[in-house]
Amino acid sequence: MKKLSVILAISLGLAACAEKDSDYARKHRNKAGDKAKMEQIVPGARSAPICETPEISICEKSVLPITADIKKNGFEAAVKALKAELSLPEEFDGSAESFKKHIPEDLKRYQAQSRLLLLADKEYRTIYNYDEDVKEATEIVHKLMMEFVKSEKLDEDGRMGLVGALNTTVVQSVSETFELSYQGKDIVTIDMSSACGIDGLNVMARSLLPGGGPNGVIYICPGQLLLNAGKTKVERIAGLVMTLAHEMTHQLQYRGFELDNRVLTCVNSDLADKSAKFVESKNKETQADIVGFRILNIFLKQDKELSVQTEKAKAALSWMCHLEEHDTEGDSSTHLDNKSRLKNFFKLKETEDLLGCSKGPRC
């Protein structure tokens, strides 16, 4: 009996130890899991892959095959509709040369080209209704921009002026631009026709203050919006955030807003081989980029997982991969070249804090 008691005691002791070991193992696993999560959510804990080769990571496979299909089929359908409306010959193909050949009068040609842009936009939206995404993204960015303005060190009059600028700026679709009545409509429609192109497929966004105000107008060409076709809703909204913030910053600039010069000087630090005139000609757009990047970082910060933040950042910046390049001293463009613009995102201190990118400078 004594022997049995000893055996039972030993067995119970082993069972207790096993339970303690199990508790220990479980706690260890939980601790390890928590550590892994912390590496994902703590700024600077680990570097996102996007930091090492940003241009490759952002630009590679940035557009899905459906985009080309929408462009081709949409434009062909629009040309067919225009030919029926204006009784144009079968050989008319919607090109600039075809317009000149078949509609020689300047005003009528411009009107026909504007009509084709409107029809093409309608056809593109039958497959991907990007206007809905723009509305949702505009609400998000407007709120973030208001918070940004209220956090800036400004006197009350200056702050209220910028708040007013944001509240009186509208983001218009192609159809709204041509079909609604508003102050400065002729200026905006002519600008859109030129900027977006006959087919609307130029990668372009614009921010205007027609007639000097008081209302600002922002638009994004279908060509840029279609870069998001086929992507997830999360990616599509992210793909509009930086663009809209950049264009809204121009509305603030029209009212006298300027960034702290120290930040601009820091971001421009690798342009030492460029002339002062060249750098100065790009400063307005570089400032708009910087504010756009800051708004983007605030947007990305709403997620905690590094992998999600990275994918959203790629989606938000990928449109820059499709812009025409402008990087020579003699170029009249007001933007830096695309590679420099992407690089500037990774110079910001906020980007380092969020994604863990550690290469300097930090502005």
Side-chain angles (χ1 to χ4, degrees):
M1 189 70 181
K2 185 176 180 182
K3 185 177 181 181
L4 180 59
S5 299
V6 171
I7 292 172
L8 286 171
I10 292 171
S11 299
L12 291 170
L14 288 172
C17 288
E19 185 175 331
K20 288 178 181 177
D21 285 344
S22 178
D23 288 341
Y24 176 82
R26 186 160 45 249
K27 289 176 182 176
H28 179 75
R29 286 194 298 273
N30 290 341
K31 188 175 181 181
D34 290 341
K35 182 180 179 183
K37 289 179 181 178
M38 288 298 288
E39 287 180 339
Q40 289 285 318
I41 65 175
V42 175
R46 59 182 295 185
S47 174
I50 194 176
C51 302
E52 301 304 317
T53 54
E55 193 172 9
I56 295 173
S57 298
I58 294 168
C59 297
E60 191 175 45
K61 299 179 181 177
S62 61
V63 178
L64 298 177
I66 190 175
T67 295
D69 292 337
I70 296 174
K71 289 178 178 180
K72 180 178 182 297
N73 297 332
F75 187 63
E76 287 177 354
V79 170
K80 183 178 180 180
L82 186 71
K83 286 196 290 188
E85 283 186 14
L86 303 182
S87 300
L88 293 166
E90 187 59 33
E91 65 178 292
F92 177 81
D93 62 5
S95 66
E97 293 76 16
S98 192
F99 268 106
K100 287 181 179 179
K101 179 179 179 180
H102 298 288
I103 309 178
E105 188 179 327
D106 290 344
L107 179 58
K108 287 184 177 180
R109 184 168 64 249
Y110 164 73
Q111 291 171 338
Q113 289 173 336
S114 297
R115 179 60 180 162
L116 181 57
L117 171 58
L118 192 60
L119 290 170
D121 170 70
K122 180 181 177 182
E123 293 295 337
Y124 302 146
R125 286 187 288 110
T126 60
I127 302 173
Y128 165 36
N129 189 6
Y130 40 71
D131 285 350
E132 292 302 313
D133 287 342
V134 173
K135 287 178 183 177
E136 185 172 335
T138 297
E139 291 180 7
I140 293 170
V141 176
H142 181 268
K143 181 180 178 181
L144 296 176
M145 289 293 294
M146 291 289 277
E147 292 172 357
F148 167 77
V149 165
K150 290 174 182 178
S151 69
E152 286 290 284
K153 294 179 180 179
L154 301 165
D155 61 55
E156 193 59 24
D157 287 344
R159 191 186 322 282
M160 293 310 297
L162 298 185
V163 167
L166 293 174
N167 283 334
T168 55
T169 294
V170 294
V171 179
Q172 290 187 171
S173 65
V174 173
S175 58
E176 288 171 336
T177 297
F178 282 96
E179 294 172 355
L180 296 180
S181 296
Y182 55 92
Q183 181 178 325
K185 179 176 179 176
D186 288 345
I187 296 172
V188 180
T189 53
I190 291 171
D191 190 272
M192 177 180 278
S193 296
S194 174
C196 295
I198 295 171
D199 55 8
L201 295 179
N202 290 346
V203 178
M204 178 73 71
R206 296 274 287 161
S207 186
L208 308 174
L209 194 62
N215 300 324
V217 175
I218 292 170
Y219 66 79
I220 306 175
C221 297
Q224 182 161 334
L225 296 170
L226 285 173
L227 297 175
N228 292 328
K231 297 181 180 179
T232 66
K233 179 69 173 293
V234 169
E235 291 173 318
R236 299 197 311 267
I237 297 301
L240 295 167
V241 170
M242 192 269 167
T243 297
L244 287 168
H246 175 106
E247 300 304 333
M248 286 185 191
T249 302
H250 284 318
Q251 291 295 323
L252 303 185
Q253 289 174 328
Y254 293 146
R255 276 78 168 189
F257 172 78
E258 290 187 355
L259 271 180
D260 186 328
N261 196 51
R262 290 173 297 179
V263 177
L264 191 59
T265 301
C266 177
V267 166
N268 287 337
S269 61
D270 55 358
L271 298 178
D273 60 328
K274 303 291 186 181
S275 68
K277 182 180 179 181
F278 174 88
V279 174
E280 187 176 350
S281 70
K282 316 294 183 184
N283 277 348
K284 287 285 186 184
E285 294 294 342
T286 301
Q287 285 188 45
D289 274 353
I290 292 170
V291 175
F293 293 149
R294 285 178 166 172
I295 296 301
L296 173 58
N297 276 322
I298 295 170
F299 172 75
L300 297 176
K301 200 172 182 179
Q302 295 172 356
D303 290 288
K304 301 304 180 185
E305 294 290 336
L306 181 61
S307 59
V308 177
Q309 293 169 340
T310 300
E311 290 307 307
K312 282 190 173 182
K314 287 163 66 174
L317 299 169
S318 62
W319 60 273
M320 288 188 178
C321 307
H322 303 276
L323 299 172
E324 290 186 23
E325 287 288 8
H326 301 285
D327 59 358
T328 63
E329 285 277 0
D331 205 305
S332 61
S333 169
T334 54
H335 297 84
L336 292 171
D337 65 279
N338 304 341
K339 187 175 181 179
S340 295
R341 294 179 72 183
L342 287 173
K343 187 177 177 182
N344 284 345
F345 173 66
F346 296 92
K347 292 179 183 178
L348 298 185
K349 182 68 167 62
E350 296 95 330
T351 306
E352 177 186 20
D353 292 342
L354 190 70
L355 301 180
C357 303
S358 59
K359 295 179 181 178
R362 287 294 164 258
C363 306

